[in-house]
Amino acid sequence: MILILLINLKLMEEISIRETIEPLNRSTLRNALKINGTVRSYFSEFLRNMGYLEIPPVIYSTATDPLNHPVFDTSFEYYGQKYSITKSMIFHKQISVQYLGKIFTFSPNVRLETSDKASTGRHLSEFTQIDIECLNATRDDMISLAENMISGVIAEVKNKNSQDLTDLKRILNQPEKPFVKIRYEDALSQHGKHFEDVLSAKMSDPFWIIDIPVNEREFYDREDPENEGYLMDMDLIYPEGFGEAISGGEREFEIEKILQRVALKGQSPDQFKWFIEAASGGLLPSAGFGIGIERLVRYLCGFPKIEMVTPFPKVPGKRSI
Ligand code: AMP
Ligand code: MG
């Protein structure tokens, strides 16, 4: 892996320091940061009012999200113990709600995405998600919480940042709840394997993709006991071609099922040692989701690229400071 990383570093697209600093001067960055401020305050207050406790982010850990797509490794050794930089706080969320009931966190994630992701307009190698988890909640509970958050934040930004939206010439549609739900298999059969992009470009309001097949996702997403092979999970997709906004769902909580799913992925329980040990003591069910903050701000601003929302973007495959 070290060798692969070195080769990749050599191939990194050279950008001068000047080019990296120059966007700091753009007025659109100022608009985006003001909208980012509204998003963070709105979500914090909204969730606190709903009884959610904010927990501080975890930056590195002995077990992080395995993810379902390849990224470069970010592990290191410290006093003989191997750690990884957080790709998501999924395990910390599932364990902390056992004690705290309802939690949220603004969680910085480092995912060293491959350089083909640079042109999607929605991938950074360092980003923040507002990550939420609730004990004894169902997917439907989380869908309605997310719908309230997304439609609430759109209304708040239209109200508090109307001048920024005018500066950006952004007309934001206020979506109607409940959002449309489309089953994964239906989307696939009607629109082919790029259904997410096709539907995102066609729709004018956010919509859900539900019932994603087991092999498309990680071991911790709960398999539907009444619909074998499909998960009790959901993705929210932005309209106007902005793509994925949210992923989430119910979690596997029974240790036998967790171990089965880890094995199905060809992974070793050792990779998730502390989580598996904690889960072996018995877990209550929970559900949750994560909203990528930079993607949300990009959508609210109507920007062509995600890197326009942040002063020091980490664009996959490009040298950053
Ligand atoms: P995931 O659970 O992997 O879908 O991640 C949760 C959310 O984080 C996604 O729905 C996105 O909004 C956001 N996200 C994931 N990967 C990236 C990335 N590379 N750059 C920016 N945002 C991301
Ligand atoms: Mg996702």
Side-chain angles (χ1 to χ4, degrees):
M1 196 60 198
I2 288 172
L3 188 67
I4 296 169
L5 264 178
L6 284 177
I7 293 166
N8 196 53
L9 286 176
K10 271 195 110 169
L11 292 177
M12 268 198 167
E13 201 176 302
E14 286 289 318
I15 303 181
S16 69
I17 301 294
R18 213 181 138 59
E19 271 178 281
T20 312
I21 305 280
E22 186 271 331
L24 283 170
N25 211 11
R26 287 194 192 139
S27 61
T28 53
L29 176 63
R30 197 167 279 276
N31 297 127
L33 291 173
K34 282 158 74 185
I35 289 175
N36 179 66
T38 304
V39 165
R40 285 180 173 248
S41 317
Y42 178 80
F43 281 164
S44 300
E45 198 184 331
F46 177 94
L47 288 166
R48 262 190 269 282
N49 286 340
M50 301 272 300
Y52 283 78
L53 276 174
E54 181 169 6
I55 64 167
V58 170
I59 304 292
Y60 71 90
S61 165
T62 57
T64 190
D65 196 330
L67 299 181
N68 202 45
H69 69 280
V71 291
F72 292 100
D73 188 23
T74 56
S75 60
F76 60 92
E77 217 178 276
Y78 183 46
Y79 283 104
Q81 174 64 59
K82 192 180 164 205
Y83 295 95
S84 295
I85 302 178
T86 297
K87 295 190 186 103
S88 94
M89 278 175 57
I90 181 66
F91 303 130
H92 299 81
K93 287 201 310 173
Q94 199 178 346
I95 298 303
S96 60
V97 285
Q98 303 297 317
Y99 304 92
L100 300 172
K102 289 170 155 189
I103 60 105
F104 74 98
T105 179
F106 285 96
S107 167
N109 291 184
V110 173
R111 300 183 184 176
L112 300 181
E113 308 275 7
T114 46
S115 61
D116 54 307
K117 298 270 168 52
S119 54
T120 64
R122 60 173 182 269
H123 286 87
L124 294 171
S125 293
E126 178 186 276
F127 64 94
T128 299
Q129 43 173 322
I130 181 159
D131 224 344
I132 295 159
E133 193 78 12
C134 184
L135 199 64
N136 293 319
T138 61
R139 172 172 65 180
D140 283 344
D141 296 333
M142 292 299 101
I143 284 181
S144 92
L145 180 70
E147 290 184 357
N148 288 335
M149 288 176 71
I150 294 293
S151 60
V153 83
I154 290 174
E156 181 84 347
V157 165
K158 279 164 87 78
N159 178 26
K160 295 253 166 77
N161 298 90
S162 60
Q163 187 56 52
D164 296 301
L165 295 176
T166 306
D167 293 348
L168 297 170
K169 301 187 174 46
R170 174 67 168 147
I171 297 162
L172 259 182
N173 191 27
Q174 183 65 52
E176 267 187 35
K177 294 179 290 185
F179 301 167
V180 168
K181 293 188 190 76
I182 307 173
R183 292 194 64 251
Y184 179 99
E185 298 290 2
D186 295 340
L188 184 67
S189 65
Q190 283 166 32
H191 303 284
K193 66 176 177 167
H194 299 298
F195 66 82
E196 193 177 300
D197 292 336
V198 174
L199 283 168
S200 177
K202 259 170 88 138
M203 304 287 268
S204 51
D205 277 343
F207 60 95
W208 296 103
I209 297 289
I210 57 164
D211 298 349
I212 297 160
V214 166
N215 59 0
E216 294 291 324
R217 290 291 149 99
E218 300 80 41
F219 75 83
Y220 49 76
D221 282 334
R222 184 172 180 225
E223 186 171 9
D224 188 343
E226 278 154 34
N227 193 12
E228 209 180 305
Y230 295 90
L231 300 168
M232 299 289 288
D233 67 348
M234 74 284 186
D235 276 0
L236 185 76
I237 315 296
Y238 291 121
E240 304 170 66
F242 287 95
E244 189 197 292
I246 292 178
S247 287
E250 295 182 20
R251 316 300 180 193
E252 289 295 1
F253 60 97
E254 291 156 320
I255 187 64
E256 300 76 26
K257 197 75 191 152
I258 291 174
L259 291 173
Q260 247 177 43
R261 295 282 304 282
V262 169
L264 198 68
K265 280 271 163 199
Q267 292 158 339
S268 153
D270 278 353
Q271 205 182 322
F272 316 105
K273 199 163 184 285
W274 79 265
F275 172 73
I276 303 275
E277 268 180 33
S280 301
L283 291 179
L284 291 168
S286 69
F289 58 92
I291 308 177
I293 296 291
E294 292 82 357
R295 286 190 186 180
L296 173 59
V297 175
R298 176 199 173 209
Y299 170 66
L300 294 167
C301 292
F303 286 155
K305 284 180 178 293
I306 192 168
E307 51 263 43
M308 293 174 73
V309 310
T310 181
F312 302 109
K314 304 288 196 304
V315 180
K318 293 197 180 168
R319 188 176 73 176
S320 50
I321 53 171

